[in-house]
């Protein structure tokens, strides 16, 4: 019998090994789980699909950036749930809703999924990327948006390959910080 | 950007992750923090003058064992707490063990001494210096550990902050022990134990602010 845990964990292990297709499948599946989770949690705060989608994107970015912190010896569900809940609490604190209001939930709460089409969210990551320092903008634009390889991006902007890699990494982190400032609801 | 576009963008060129990165970063931070604390102690406070005597070696050993037990146990918990969801598999109860042991030894030691000596055994000559030094020496080690732990994305910031403070307090006590000449177990229990607990409480209070990622 295959549970979501088994399948998602297999995808995560492949993603950690550098398999882009597995990473994509993982993020696609997790986005459905995250959407269901945030819609349900936010409903009790009178917030709707737009805010839920904001959080889905924030959590996906966090999962991508922090995926080195997943220990393969552990189950994946609690790891995903911890990040999802952390981002929820952070969001509610930013929007000045008391933390005491966040109901206790279980790791399995993240295992429901939502097959609705994604709603629009309130910020545009593309626009935020435009506010990053130049090297980060170039690196993320070339590799993540245009789909160039690291080597092609390095050649295009006359930068070294390690600079491109570091710029992507730091740029995504800076982007996550910007989103956190942007989304105050 | 729609969510599916974000997923597509993040999935272009996926780098393999380094599984030992967190352990290495936190380990490096621990070593750096210990070296810093020992260096600060050597330069600012100076080693205790009688460090070569047998008596000094015994008491220094006891204090160092207390501090190292705290550092050892608390860093294992810290390494778990540092990762997302780490709080769920960490009961952290063993962290009180060194404190319990030193309190027990202190009570035994008080019990075997006449009560007229108790004041002296508890206060020593240096209680104020100890009270101030351990938290002060702990500041930079705490900052170094915060830097490392944040990289692992902790999700329970109060508890992670508390353990960061506990480890920093233990490191500071280890360094301060090389200077301090108040050699009684009740003194160690009250002033070392107390100031390390103080560092832990400060860490818990600062965690949500400093460890956010």
């Amino acid at each position: 019998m295959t549970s979501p845990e088994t399948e998602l964990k297999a995808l995560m292990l492949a993603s950690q090994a550098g398999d882009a297709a597995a990473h994509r499948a993982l993020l696609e599946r997790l986005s459905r789980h995250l959407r269901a989770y945030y819609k349900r949690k936010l409903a009790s705060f009178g917030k709707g699909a737009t805010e839920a989608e904001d959080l889905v994107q924030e959590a996906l970015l966090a999962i991508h950036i922090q995926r080195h912190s997943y220990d393969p010896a552990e189950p994946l569900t609690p790891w995903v749930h911890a990040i999802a809940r952390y981002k929820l609490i952070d969001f509610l604190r930013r929007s000045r809703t008391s933390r005491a209001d966040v109901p206790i939930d279980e790791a399995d709460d993240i295992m429901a999924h939502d097959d609705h089409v994604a709603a629009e969210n309130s910020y545009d990551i593309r626009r935020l990327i435009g506010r990053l320092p130049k090297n980060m903008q170039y690196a993320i634009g070339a590799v993540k948006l245009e789909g160039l390889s690291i080597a092609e991006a390095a050649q295009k902007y006359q930068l070294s390959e390690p600079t491109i890699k570091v710029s992507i990494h730091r740029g995504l982190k800076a982007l996550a910080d910007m989103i956190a400032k942007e989304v105050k609801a | 950007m729609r969510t599916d576009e974000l997923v597509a963008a993040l999935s272009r060129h996926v780098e393999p992750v380094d599984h030992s990165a967190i352990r290495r970063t936190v380990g490096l931070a621990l070593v750096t923090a210990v070296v810093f604390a020992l260096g600060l102690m050597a330069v600012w406070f100076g080693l205790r003058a009688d460090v070569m005597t047998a008596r000094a070696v015994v008491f220094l050993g006891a204090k160092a064992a207390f501090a190292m037990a705290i550092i050892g146990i608390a860093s294992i918990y810290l390494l778990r707490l540092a990762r997302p969801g780490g709080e769920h598999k960490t009961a952290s109860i063993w962290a009180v063990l060194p404190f319990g042991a030193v309190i027990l030894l202190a009570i035994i030691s008080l019990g075997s001494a006449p009560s007229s000596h108790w004041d002296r055994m508890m206060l020593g000559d240096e209680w104020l210096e100890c009270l101030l030094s351990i938290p002060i020496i702990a500041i930079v080690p705490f900052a170094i550990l915060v830097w490392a732990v944040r990289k692992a994305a902790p999700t329970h910031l109060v508890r992670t902050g508390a353990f960061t403070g506990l480890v920093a307090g233990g490191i500071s006590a280890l360094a301060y022990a090389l200077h301090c000449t108040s050699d009684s177990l009740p003194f160690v229990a009250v002033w070392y134990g107390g100031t390390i607990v103080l560092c832990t409480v400060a860490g818990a209070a600062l965690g949500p602010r400093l460890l956010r990622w």
Side-chain angles (χ1 to χ4, degrees):
Chain A
M1 192 186 117
T2 48
S3 63
E5 164 66 32
T6 322
E7 291 170 28
L8 291 172
K9 181 166 176 170
L11 288 174
M12 175 55 118
L13 295 181
S15 148
Q16 284 191 326
D19 177 340
H23 189 62
R24 182 168 186 158
L26 175 72
L27 294 184
E28 270 168 3
R29 291 196 47 175
L30 287 180
S31 67
R32 291 200 286 274
H33 291 297
L34 291 165
R35 191 166 296 126
Y37 177 78
Y38 286 133
K39 273 188 179 170
R40 189 152 34 91
K41 295 288 165 187
L42 288 180
S44 53
F45 297 98
K47 300 197 192 299
T50 306
E51 287 89 351
E53 207 58 30
D54 280 352
L55 272 167
V56 170
Q57 294 199 5
E58 245 196 290
L60 284 174
L61 195 54
I63 286 166
H64 175 81
I65 295 170
Q66 306 295 354
R67 69 189 197 285
H68 71 285
S69 72
Y70 170 62
D71 178 354
E74 302 291 334
L76 182 67
T77 311
W79 182 86
V80 173
H81 174 254
I83 291 181
R85 182 173 163 80
Y86 177 84
K87 286 293 171 189
L88 174 67
I89 290 170
D90 202 51
F91 169 82
L92 293 171
R93 194 183 289 129
R94 290 197 308 262
S95 55
R96 310 217 179 284
T97 314
S98 150
R99 187 202 155 139
D101 294 335
V102 185
I104 302 284
D105 50 13
E106 301 291 329
D108 282 343
D109 284 10
I110 202 74
M111 281 300 127
H113 64 91
D114 183 314
D115 291 324
H116 289 90
V117 180
E120 291 289 320
N121 69 315
S122 70
Y123 51 86
D124 183 19
I125 286 187
R126 223 179 277 274
R127 184 174 55 80
L128 294 175
I129 292 172
R131 286 205 246 140
L132 289 170
K134 285 282 175 261
N135 279 3
M136 298 181 188
Q137 239 183 77
Y138 294 156
I140 293 177
V143 177
K144 297 292 182 188
L145 301 181
E146 294 170 36
L148 299 186
S149 71
I150 301 282
E152 287 164 341
Q155 203 176 10
K156 181 172 177 185
Y157 292 106
Q158 302 292 304
L159 294 165
S160 72
E161 293 187 20
T163 306
I164 295 284
K165 285 187 193 176
V166 169
S167 300
I168 293 174
H169 190 66
R170 294 209 180 130
L172 291 178
K173 279 192 176 173
L175 193 59
D177 290 342
M178 272 198 241
I179 293 173
K181 287 201 187 79
E182 190 89 348
V183 186
K184 289 216 172 90
Chain B
M1 189 186 281
R2 293 195 325 266
T3 301
D4 56 344
E5 294 174 299
L6 175 65
V7 168
L10 293 177
S11 308
R12 288 194 188 106
H13 192 86
V14 176
E15 290 275 319
V17 303
D18 178 355
H19 284 293
S20 59
I22 289 174
R23 223 167 296 138
R24 212 174 39 237
T25 309
V26 176
L28 182 69
L30 271 173
V31 172
T32 313
V34 171
V35 169
F36 173 87
L38 294 177
L40 183 66
M41 188 282 309
V43 172
W44 189 17
F45 292 88
L47 273 177
R48 58 188 289 176
D50 62 349
V51 70
M52 297 308 282
T53 63
R55 181 191 145 78
V57 168
V58 169
F59 282 99
L60 180 55
K63 289 182 214 172
F66 172 56
M68 285 195 288
I70 290 173
I71 299 169
I73 296 171
S75 349
I76 292 170
Y77 285 129
L78 183 60
L79 207 50
R80 282 191 214 159
L81 279 169
R83 296 172 191 257
E87 61 271 21
H88 298 300
K89 49 185 199 288
T90 308
S92 45
I93 191 69
W94 291 105
V96 303
L97 193 72
F99 293 96
V102 81
I103 289 169
L104 191 69
L105 290 172
I107 291 169
I108 294 170
S109 150
L110 285 175
S112 61
S115 58
S116 57
H117 287 198
W118 286 4
D119 271 7
R120 171 109 197 98
M121 287 168 80
M122 302 271 267
L123 295 176
D125 298 320
E126 299 172 313
W127 68 269
L128 184 61
E129 188 193 83
C130 179
L131 180 64
L132 295 174
S133 302
I134 290 183
I136 291 172
I137 301 172
I139 292 172
V140 173
F142 179 71
I144 296 170
L145 290 167
V146 163
W147 167 84
V149 167
R150 265 188 65 176
K151 288 181 179 291
T155 49
H156 196 308
L157 304 187
V158 174
R159 210 189 298 172
T160 313
F163 273 83
T164 311
L166 180 59
V167 175
I171 289 173
S172 174
L174 177 66
Y176 181 69
L178 290 163
H179 167 76
C180 166
T181 49
S182 288
D183 293 331
S184 86
L185 288 166
F187 181 89
V188 174
V190 174
W191 302 106
Y192 280 56
T195 47
I196 295 170
V197 169
L198 199 68
C199 293
T200 310
V201 172
L206 293 170
R209 201 173 291 256
L210 300 180
L211 290 168
R212 271 184 72 183
W213 49 272

